[in-house]
Amino acid sequence: RCMQLKKLVDENTNALHNLKKADEPAPVGNYDQRKEEEEKLLLKLSQQLQKLVLVLDQDNGTMNYAVGEERQKDPQTEDENGDEDESEDEESSEEEDSEETDDEDEDKLLDDPNVKECIAIGNFNAQQEGDLTFTKGEVLLIHDKKADGWWVAENSKGERGLVPRTYLAVHNDDVDSQEQSEEHIEVVDETADGTEIKKRTDSHWSAVRRAIAENDTVEVLATIGAVPAGFRQSTLSQLLEEGNQFRASYFLQPELTPSQLAFKDLVWNSDKNTIYPRPTRVSLIVTLCSCKMIPLPGVSIQVLSRHVRLCLFDGSRVLSNVHTVRATWQPKNPQTWTFSPRVTGILPSLLDGDCFVRSNSLSSDIGILFELGITYICNSTGDRGELSCGWAFLKLFTSNGMPVPSKMYELLLNGGTPYERGVEVDPSISRRAGSGVFHQFITLKKQPVLVVKLRSLSTQSKDILNLLPETLIGSMCYIHLLIFYRQILGDALLKDRISAQSTELICNPILATFPQLVDQPDLMDALRSAWADRERTLKRSEKRDQEFLKSLFVLVYHDSVFPLLQSTFLPDYKWAEEESEASRWKVIADFLEKSRENDGALQYLLSSENTHKAFDIAELSYDFLGETRKNNPGV
């Protein structure tokens, strides 16, 4: 694999070397300088790949040598040891000379303004205000290399300050991983402090896999021109893959008070026979309008999905679930993404650009983090992944604590991750820019932007949103379904429970399975469609009767999505897999059609043609205490 990548890099290097300024389709400023920079990047990548190849060969050679040594031990061993002793003096002198040369080269590389990442070789405590404290081994991002030896650096938490140059060394992920994984046999060494390094017994292969998979994937894609330099692995998609903590189903569960004797966000109103509305500090609607000038990926990767993921963020922590809206685009203008397209029938919730946002966080820095992403598959290897095409942050409160005005916002996209600063999505745009005001204006117009709109809430909209959990982001198109779930939840936990201290399982299929639906947009659309069909047949008086609507929703749920959840014909939900999405929707559409024809799902369920998963009590029982413990392990 390394040799294949090196061959591709060498081919690109040769092609770049033979390229001339006259070959460019449009005038390019600083052509020679830019060409030289690209050649250096390709050369560096080729050297790194060559090092990995050597390490792999060395590992195989070490293993073969060890096996051979065990099989044959002869008297010549003592003579060989004697020869080695005689050559040690010569080797030591050569090593001293090479070390001096390496030190000089490392100092030059450390002072190079293009080298931004450095690693601390010792602990440093801030001596005065403005200094940055760091520990040995910490990676720092250098923003300004001052001549007096005190450089402006930033740590992984986004904190900036002055650091001494003498405490830093060039950070090279590839060299570090190579040195750490050079030997898989047990080795004991000592550091400068005299502390003993723990023995390594892990295989070199695991370190190489991590280095290539986690650190070099985007760099390789950027170097061969598949993606711009500012693209990164998607931060929010990784959070979604880690577990349930950042999904909507997690935030749907009721939250207990500190005493754990009552519910914090679910209170019963006996006068109106429903749950109390709960106003929150943040309660608004944000509309995704469009994304403009988004850089195009190269032909070596195939894009499976273009989307925006959004969540509440305070600069360091994600404070809500991660909500995803898929974008649409036209082949004639692929750099522009749009949302909420006009479709026949109901708009799929995954394409709905109108999102509600709720939070009761008291953080002064709270805002909405938008991450533009693409899900891709590599044409040559078949590997799948998700990349961030840039991110933007919209702060929701001013420095005075007042909410920001409801209006249209055009947000410039940043490259890198939300924890990086000063990274452009596509640095080539700035490099091509001239120094004149007109050129700067044109360059600004070429920068990628996200256009969003904050909408003020009417009294009716506020009342509806206040029935939802205190923290949640979701699509406006299924908000009425969430409210039905919350009302049924209130009935089961507050109104109908014999004792407030009872922890018995509650027999309720909707409460047991509805959270699964929220994480599967096509099933939510099936429930929306079934409810819309039934709602069209209601009289006005029936629409005003909340108890009647609630009981009707239960019947619609049992006749639509509940049987689908247990069907063996429905494939598992997989993100951005066109074949899986098409087969799922075919199963869903066929079931809904037969359910409408037969006035219910009973005949379909009793048919011998259909099979379902083995019965599990979890389909019917809701354990709110178990859900609470699952979400809060300390309870």
Side-chain angles (χ1 to χ4, degrees):
R1 177 61 182 153
C2 290
M3 293 300 296
Q4 290 176 352
L5 289 173
K6 187 176 184 302
K7 184 179 179 181
L8 288 173
V9 172
D10 292 340
E11 290 176 358
N12 278 275
T13 304
N14 294 332
L16 180 63
H17 184 72
N18 297 328
L19 196 65
K20 298 180 181 179
K21 189 173 182 178
D23 298 331
E24 295 291 339
V28 179
N30 301 325
Y31 177 82
D32 294 332
Q33 180 183 351
R34 290 184 54 213
K35 183 178 177 181
E36 184 179 352
E37 290 175 356
E38 296 296 335
E39 287 179 341
K40 285 181 179 179
L41 285 173
L42 289 171
L43 179 61
K44 177 185 175 183
L45 184 59
S46 179
Q47 292 172 348
Q48 292 173 351
L49 290 170
Q50 183 63 37
K51 287 178 182 178
L52 286 175
V53 172
L54 292 175
V55 170
L56 298 180
D57 290 341
Q58 185 177 2
D59 256 12
N60 292 334
T62 303
M63 292 174 66
N64 293 336
Y65 175 76
V67 172
E69 191 176 33
E70 288 178 0
R71 288 181 179 177
Q72 49 180 354
K73 288 189 176 181
D74 50 42
Q76 296 178 358
T77 306
E78 294 181 0
D79 297 335
E80 291 173 0
N81 291 338
D83 294 337
E84 289 175 2
D85 292 338
E86 292 175 1
S87 62
E88 278 180 358
D89 295 335
E90 297 177 4
E91 291 178 356
S92 62
S93 61
E94 291 176 2
E95 287 176 359
E96 289 176 0
D97 295 337
S98 63
E99 285 176 1
E100 291 176 2
T101 306
D102 291 341
D103 290 341
E104 292 176 1
D105 293 342
E106 189 171 349
D107 285 341
K108 291 180 181 178
L109 187 59
L110 182 61
D111 293 328
D112 188 345
N114 293 324
V115 176
K116 298 294 185 183
E117 281 195 352
C118 294
I119 188 169
I121 58 177
N123 298 329
F124 174 75
N125 294 321
Q127 299 174 356
Q128 60 185 25
E129 186 176 357
D131 292 351
L132 180 64
T133 300
F134 56 83
T135 57
K136 183 178 179 180
E138 188 173 356
V139 178
L140 301 175
L141 181 65
I142 308 301
H143 292 282
D144 187 10
K145 297 185 177 182
K146 296 181 179 293
D148 60 358
W150 287 88
W151 293 354
V152 179
E154 180 180 351
N155 61 18
S156 60
K157 299 178 182 178
E159 300 169 344
R160 289 196 185 192
L162 295 174
V163 299
R165 176 194 178 281
T166 53
Y167 279 69
L168 303 176
V170 177
H171 178 240
N172 191 325
D173 288 338
D174 297 306
V175 174
D176 292 344
S177 63
Q178 177 184 339
E179 290 176 351
Q180 291 175 358
S181 57
E182 210 164 37
E183 295 181 359
H184 61 273
I185 57 177
E186 293 187 353
V187 176
V188 179
D189 198 359
E190 289 187 351
T191 63
D193 301 331
T195 56
E196 192 179 68
I197 298 177
K198 294 182 178 179
K199 295 182 179 181
R200 286 185 56 88
T201 57
D202 58 319
S203 161
H204 132 87
W205 270 108
S206 60
V208 172
R209 283 197 203 99
R210 284 196 301 270
I212 293 176
E214 296 177 5
N215 300 326
D216 291 343
T217 303
V218 181
E219 184 178 351
V220 170
L221 290 175
T223 304
I224 65 177
V227 297
F231 281 25
R232 295 287 188 274
Q233 294 286 353
S234 172
T235 302
L236 298 187
S237 71
Q238 290 175 356
L239 292 180
L240 288 174
E241 291 173 2
E242 285 178 4
N244 197 42
Q245 186 179 355
F246 297 100
R247 296 186 179 274
S249 55
Y250 176 91
F251 289 89
L252 272 182
Q253 301 300 333
E255 185 179 355
L256 289 173
T257 59
S259 66
Q260 301 179 17
L261 297 176
F263 295 104
K264 179 181 176 183
D265 59 348
L266 196 67
V267 181
W268 187 254
N269 184 348
S270 57
D271 294 335
K272 295 186 177 181
N273 200 32
T274 185
I275 57 175
Y276 269 111
R278 302 279 295 179
T280 54
R281 182 169 179 247
V282 176
S283 188
L284 52 88
I285 298 174
V286 58
T287 299
L288 301 177
C289 300
S290 64
C291 307
K292 303 176 182 177
M293 303 305 295
I294 308 303
L296 298 176
V299 295
S300 58
I301 65 174
Q302 177 188 352
V303 178
L304 304 176
S305 171
R306 293 169 170 84
H307 49 266
V308 175
R309 300 192 191 275
L310 60 150
C311 63
L312 289 168
F313 190 64
D314 66 355
S316 60
R317 295 175 301 128
V318 173
L319 304 176
S320 71
N321 62 298
V322 177
H323 179 64
T324 304
V325 181
R326 184 170 288 175
T328 56
W329 59 283
Q330 298 297 328
K332 294 181 179 178
N333 190 13
Q335 288 186 295
T336 300
W337 301 1
T338 56
F339 307 91
S340 302
R342 294 182 178 179
V343 296
T344 56
I346 64 170
L347 175 69
S349 56
L350 193 58
L351 303 179
D352 186 16
D354 291 333
C355 310
F356 64 84
V357 179
R358 277 176 59 82
S359 175
N360 226 8
S361 172
L362 299 177
S363 172
S364 58
D365 297 322
I366 190 172
I368 304 176
L369 174 64
F370 302 91
E371 185 187 66
L372 278 68
I374 58 170
T375 303
Y376 72 92
I377 184 170
C378 189
N379 293 329
S380 58
T381 63
D383 295 334
R384 283 172 57 98
E386 182 162 332
L387 296 176
S388 166
C389 307
W391 60 273
F393 181 69
L394 177 59
K395 199 172 180 181
L396 295 179
F397 294 91
T398 64
S399 57
N400 299 327
M402 298 297 294
V404 295
S406 299
K407 64 175 186 178
M408 194 82 74
Y409 290 88
E410 195 168 277
L411 307 173
L412 284 174
L413 294 182
N414 304 283
T417 70
Y419 301 100
E420 294 180 80
R421 297 293 182 270
V423 180
E424 296 182 55
V425 175
D426 189 357
S428 64
I429 297 176
S430 299
R431 288 202 299 265
R432 290 194 294 263
S435 57
V437 177
F438 179 73
H439 288 287
Q440 295 293 334
F441 178 76
I442 295 298
T443 302
L444 187 63
K445 287 290 184 182
K446 293 181 179 179
Q447 294 292 341
V449 295
L450 169 66
V451 182
V452 300
K453 183 179 181 181
L454 291 188
R455 290 164 48 188
S456 57
L457 298 178
S458 63
T459 304
Q460 183 180 3
S461 298
K462 284 183 181 178
D463 293 340
I464 293 174
L465 286 178
N466 287 341
L467 293 172
L468 296 175
E470 286 189 352
T471 302
L472 190 65
I473 298 180
S475 172
M476 285 295 295
C477 67
Y478 56 63
I479 192 171
H480 57 296
L481 306 181
L482 299 178
I483 291 174
F484 276 131
Y485 168 77
R486 291 277 292 176
Q487 290 173 337
I488 295 171
L489 191 65
D491 287 348
L493 295 181
L494 304 174
K495 177 186 174 184
D496 300 333
R497 206 148 51 112
I498 300 174
S499 169
Q501 278 70 44
S502 173
T503 58
E504 292 182 358
L505 298 180
I506 298 173
C507 180
N508 194 309
I510 294 181
L511 298 184
T513 58
F514 187 86
Q516 300 175 35
L517 259 65
V518 183
D519 296 330
Q520 303 181 53
D522 50 4
L523 286 181
M524 287 295 287
D525 293 335
L527 182 57
R528 285 172 56 214
S529 176
W531 174 251
D533 290 342
R534 184 61 64 90
E535 195 177 25
R536 278 193 289 267
T537 64
L538 299 181
K539 302 175 182 177
R540 283 187 182 179
S541 58
E542 293 174 334
K543 291 181 179 180
R544 289 193 294 266
D545 188 343
Q546 292 300 320
E547 290 299 318
F548 174 78
L549 291 177
K550 201 189 308 178
S551 60
L552 184 63
F553 174 79
V554 172
L555 293 176
V556 171
Y557 188 91
H558 287 173
D559 278 340
S560 56
V561 291
F562 183 69
L564 283 170
L565 282 171
Q566 317 306 329
S567 173
T568 57
F569 295 122
L570 188 70
D572 292 335
Y573 180 77
K574 296 179 182 178
W575 169 256
E577 284 199 6
E578 186 175 353
E579 185 177 345
S580 173
E581 291 177 354
S583 59
R584 278 177 64 91
W585 186 244
K586 185 177 185 307
V587 172
I588 292 171
D590 290 345
F591 172 77
L592 292 179
E593 183 179 357
K594 291 179 181 179
S595 182
R596 281 193 294 267
E597 291 174 356
N598 299 321
D599 195 25
L602 184 59
Q603 185 174 339
Y604 178 86
L605 292 173
L606 295 176
S607 172
S608 59
E609 298 176 0
N610 304 306
T611 57
H612 292 78
K613 300 172 186 175
F615 175 77
D616 188 338
I617 192 64
E619 302 170 23
L620 303 177
S621 58
Y622 175 65
D623 179 11
F624 77 90
L625 192 59
E627 292 293 335
T628 303
R629 285 174 174 163
K630 188 193 305 180
N631 296 342
N632 302 282
V635 175

